[in-house]
Amino acid sequence: DGGITQSPKYLFRKEGQNVTLSCEQNLNHDAMYWYRQDPGQGLRLIYYSQIVNDFQKGDIAEGYSVSREKKESFPLTVTSAQKNPTAFYLCGSAGRLWGNTIYFGEGSWLTVV
Amino acid sequence: DQQVKQNSPSLSVQEGRISILNCDYTNSMFDYFLWYKKYPAEGPTFLISISSIKDKNEDGRFTVFLNKSAKHLSLHIVPSQPGDSAVYFCASTTGNQFYFGTGTSLTVIP
């Protein structure tokens, strides 16, 4: 089935540790995105990539890093520099043509204790 | 600065009645608009979209209206069903980035 797979669904980490969230898509989409959602809030853009080996910072990129070595994959690393990492993380992908829709994975819950 | 705003955090509607969810935007460069439905701890699912060259788009029980002069769009759900209870996000795009509102939590009362 075509879609976006995020893993793991739930992740617990100790403060000070880096953690990497996986995002894989088989929709042949060029663009991929990472958003963060905090309770009662909307989706805030962390990073996005329009093409392999290129990515841009979103509104809240500090404390995060990404890579785009393959079209299908866009992993997000939450570093120890991120002050409030506990959140729900959403990965999305979209085509690059006008009028395209962004589709999302099931999300990953990260809890830092 | 929030470019897409949903000013009603919550809405309650009786089953069978109409639900109207509203969204305002500030960026006149936005040319494509989308609505998503989201359940807790799940990713948003795409519902319906509209381009800036139209003022209405229908898909079954869902209709989106766009008023460009007012920079306002709305989602109508008729008739509302208990399964429609979820958080609804509107989103806008210029092509490269997607901007989301803060969501409206819809509760449909049986």
Side-chain angles (χ1 to χ4, degrees):
Chain A
D1 285 348
I4 303 171
T5 302
Q6 288 186 240
S7 62
K9 177 70 176 180
Y10 299 96
L11 187 59
F12 293 86
R13 277 294 180 267
K14 291 185 178 179
E15 199 171 318
Q17 291 182 331
N18 291 356
V19 60
T20 297
L21 306 179
S22 169
C23 180
E24 304 277 332
Q25 56 100 359
N26 60 5
L27 300 169
N28 200 33
H29 285 164
D30 286 304
M32 296 188 74
Y33 303 81
W34 275 106
Y35 288 87
R36 167 180 172 146
Q37 186 188 19
D38 293 284
Q41 297 197 28
L43 279 62
R44 293 187 290 167
L45 181 64
I46 304 172
Y47 269 98
Y48 66 103
S49 167
Q50 296 285 310
I51 197 168
V52 173
N53 292 324
D54 188 46
F55 47 83
Q56 283 77 43
K57 293 181 179 180
D59 300 321
I60 55 166
E62 186 176 348
Y64 298 97
S65 66
V66 292
S67 63
R68 187 85 188 277
E69 297 177 2
K70 297 187 301 181
K71 185 176 182 178
E72 302 79 18
S73 179
F74 192 41
L76 174 74
T77 297
V78 185
T79 75
S80 56
Q82 168 50 231
K83 291 184 172 57
N84 297 297
T86 295
F88 188 56
Y89 291 88
L90 286 161
C91 177
S93 72
R96 291 185 68 194
L97 298 176
W98 180 87
N100 266 299
T101 299
I102 181 171
Y103 295 94
F104 289 94
E106 287 295 302
S108 293
W109 268 111
L110 172 63
T111 302
V112 176
V113 295
Chain B
D1 190 26
Q2 194 79 16
Q3 298 193 55
V4 178
K5 298 178 184 178
Q6 294 176 258
N7 293 317
S8 298
S10 62
L11 174 69
S12 290
V13 170
Q14 290 285 337
E15 181 179 3
R17 305 293 291 268
I18 184 171
S19 295
I20 300 177
L21 298 102
N22 294 304
C23 180
D24 297 295
Y25 61 96
T26 58
N27 190 339
S28 58
M29 297 300 292
F30 287 149
D31 55 11
Y32 194 65
F33 304 87
L34 311 99
W35 282 95
Y36 288 82
K37 176 180 180 179
K38 185 182 181 302
Y39 294 114
E42 293 185 12
T45 54
F46 170 70
L47 275 176
I48 191 169
S49 61
I50 188 168
S51 74
S52 58
I53 61 173
K54 292 186 173 183
D55 54 18
K56 177 182 175 182
N57 188 28
E58 275 183 270
D59 184 0
R61 295 186 298 114
F62 301 93
T63 303
V64 56
F65 295 91
L66 176 62
N67 182 333
K68 283 184 295 183
S69 60
K71 294 192 176 69
H72 177 83
L73 65 154
S74 61
L75 175 68
H76 293 208
I77 306 173
V78 183
S80 300
Q81 300 173 354
D84 296 330
S85 297
V87 177
Y88 290 79
F89 290 96
C90 65
S92 301
T93 179
T94 57
N96 283 344
Q97 293 190 45
F98 293 82
Y99 300 86
F100 288 81
T102 51
T104 297
S105 178
L106 172 66
T107 301
V108 179
I109 304 163

